[in-house]
């Protein structure tokens, strides 16, 4: 994911997720969201559902009382645009029955 003009593969994004999980759980939540989008758009509903669940689990560990607390730190991950704010409501709204 070093080239910002090229969309990262799912495998590259999963590798980043594993690294972030150990070092930066907020970044991991953002990457899980991006993986949920990428796999949903590819029609892999089961995998997307798993990434949605992973994202929601990670978000449970963060406060969400203010916009500053739920503001994403990146514009995109692996070529997937992130919402400005990432919290349970946004995830459930964007993924509907997959959430």
């Amino acid at each position: 994911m070093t080239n910002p003009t090229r969309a990262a593969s799912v495998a590259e994004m999963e590798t980043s997720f594993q690294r972030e999980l150990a070092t930066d759980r907020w970044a991991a939540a953002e990457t899980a969201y991006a993986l949920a989008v990428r796999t949903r758009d590819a029609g892999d509903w089961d995998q997307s559902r798993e990434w949605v669940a992973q994202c929601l689990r990670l978000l449970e560990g963060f406060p969400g009382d203010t916009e500053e607390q739920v503001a994403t730190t990146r514009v995109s991950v692996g070529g997937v645009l992130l919402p400005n704010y990432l919290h349970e409501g946004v995830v459930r709204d964007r993924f509907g029955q997959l959430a």
Side-chain angles (χ1 to χ4, degrees), residues 6 8-9 11 16 22 32 35 45 47 54 61 64-65 75 78-79 88 97:
R6 180 184 70 81
S9 70
S16 292
L35 279 158
W45 309 115
Q47 193 64 42
Q54 181 70 261
D65 301 324
V75 173
E88 179 184 1
Q97 292 183 356

Side-chain angles (χ1 to χ4, degrees), residues 6-69:
R6 180 184 70 81
S9 70
V10 168
E12 290 170 317
M13 293 170 69
E14 288 174 346
T15 298
S16 292
F17 172 79
Q18 291 301 324
R19 184 176 50 254
E20 292 163 353
L21 198 54
T23 60
D24 184 344
R25 292 179 65 82
W26 182 259
E30 291 178 344
T31 300
Y33 175 90
L35 279 158
V37 170
R38 178 68 61 81
T39 53
R40 179 198 61 197
D41 291 352
D44 189 344
W45 309 115
D46 291 336
Q47 193 64 42
S48 181
R49 188 174 289 110
E50 289 181 30
W51 284 114
V52 167
Q54 181 70 261
C55 181
L56 290 171
R57 278 192 297 276
L58 287 166
L59 291 174
E60 285 177 2
F62 292 98
D65 301 324
T66 67
E67 286 183 356
E68 183 177 90
Q69 291 172 325

